[in-house]
Amino acid sequence: MLTPDFVASLRAICGDAHVRVDGETCLAYGTDALKKGKAAEAVVFPAGPEEISRIARLCHEQRVPMVPRGAGTGYTGGAVPLQGGIVIALDRLNRILEIDEQNLLVVAESNVITGDIQDAVEKAGLFYPPDPASLRQSVIGGNVAECAGGPRAFKYGTTKQYVLGLEAVLPTGEIINPGGKVVKNVVGYDLTHLLVGSEGTLAIITKVILKLIPKPPVQATLRATFPDVQGAVNAVSGLLRARVIPAALELIDGEC
């Protein structure tokens, strides 16, 4: 159980309005998309990396488990506080900070909805290809933490191909900025991509720098029907042999 002094320290960092210990909030933020989990002992809503740093340092010193949480749309349990402690909810980190049309990149805080990033950059004639199934609910920090994919991964790759840099808070409270606003960044350890896909076990991601590409001038969807699965598979192989690479390919059987 969290001590009253510990909860008071959280309130001193984030403010009374941004620390919740009521059962409803603690249960809601203790589950993910599977609706299975365990209630947190407290949920904190920090305003930015500095507050997260202080919270992480406090948890480290007091040996209190902490779990970072984005939108909670995942199915892997990465946002579930199985050992109690606190959930660090990143709800307030929800701003797109920069769309750099000249250098083809976007900078966003970790809790911006992925679909909102796509909409914003497409207005500038740019394109962020990764399209996880939950892109209208999931947030970019969670996509990076889970290395999310989607149907367009067939042509464009998954999230890790588009992460140029990060801002993140280590479990001991240090704020780090691996990577940056350049495509060729090959000096030293590749800490950026060590954090991509780490599911919140190595650091709390607070900001992302993403590579963009020009928006495709035309998009079209085609459905082809085959008498059996083998015929559909053969058609895909034929497309690839013909050097036709669709943005996405989905096989849907008759029952589905």
Side-chain angles (χ1 to χ4, degrees):
M1 297 293 294
L2 302 181
T3 66
D5 287 346
F6 184 88
V7 176
S9 296
L10 292 177
R11 296 189 189 281
I13 294 171
C14 296
D16 289 347
H18 303 300
V19 178
R20 303 286 296 273
V21 294
D22 60 283
E24 183 178 355
T25 301
C26 289
L27 181 59
Y29 279 81
T31 58
D32 60 11
L34 286 177
K35 304 304 179 185
K36 296 181 179 179
K38 181 178 180 180
E41 296 175 67
V43 182
V44 294
F45 299 86
E50 291 77 17
E51 290 186 2
I52 294 172
S53 172
R54 294 172 63 191
I55 294 167
R57 191 175 299 113
L58 177 66
C59 289
H60 178 68
E61 292 170 351
Q62 300 291 327
R63 309 303 296 167
V64 173
M66 61 180 181
V67 175
R69 177 187 173 89
T73 59
Y75 290 89
T76 67
V80 175
L82 294 178
Q83 298 185 38
I86 70 170
V87 166
I88 300 176
L90 303 172
D91 299 36
R92 298 170 68 192
L93 281 70
N94 57 7
R95 298 175 298 164
I96 296 176
L97 301 174
E98 179 185 4
I99 297 175
D100 187 337
E101 299 180 41
Q102 182 172 353
N103 293 300
L104 301 183
L105 60 86
V106 60
V107 183
E109 292 180 320
S110 59
N111 226 62
V112 179
I113 293 174
T114 304
D116 291 347
I117 291 178
Q118 291 186 342
D119 293 343
V121 302
E122 287 183 20
K123 290 178 181 178
L126 300 172
F127 187 49
Y128 177 65
D131 61 333
S134 59
L135 69 88
R136 292 297 168 185
Q137 294 84 36
S138 63
V139 295
I140 193 62
N143 289 174
V144 172
E146 298 284 334
C147 194
R152 287 201 293 245
F154 183 80
K155 180 174 183 176
Y156 294 109
T158 59
T159 299
K160 64 183 176 182
Q161 273 82 41
Y162 297 88
V163 180
L164 296 175
L166 298 170
E167 176 186 75
V169 180
L170 297 180
T172 46
E174 295 92 339
I175 300 174
I176 61 172
N177 292 274
K181 295 182 177 181
V182 292
V183 174
K184 184 180 179 182
N185 192 340
V186 296
V187 178
Y189 298 115
D190 188 1
L191 298 180
T192 303
H193 290 97
L194 179 64
L195 297 182
V196 176
S198 63
E199 299 190 8
T201 60
L202 299 179
I204 302 167
I205 296 169
T206 56
K207 185 168 67 179
V208 298
I209 304 171
L210 302 171
K211 178 178 68 174
L212 304 174
I213 62 175
K215 182 181 177 181
V218 177
Q219 291 181 330
T221 301
L222 172 69
R223 186 185 74 177
T225 304
F226 300 88
D228 52 42
V229 170
Q230 189 60 52
V233 172
N234 291 343
V236 173
S237 299
L239 277 175
L240 299 182
R241 284 195 300 269
R243 303 298 186 263
V244 177
I245 309 297
L249 277 173
E250 290 277 19
L251 172 64
I252 304 175
D253 63 26
E255 184 175 349
C256 290

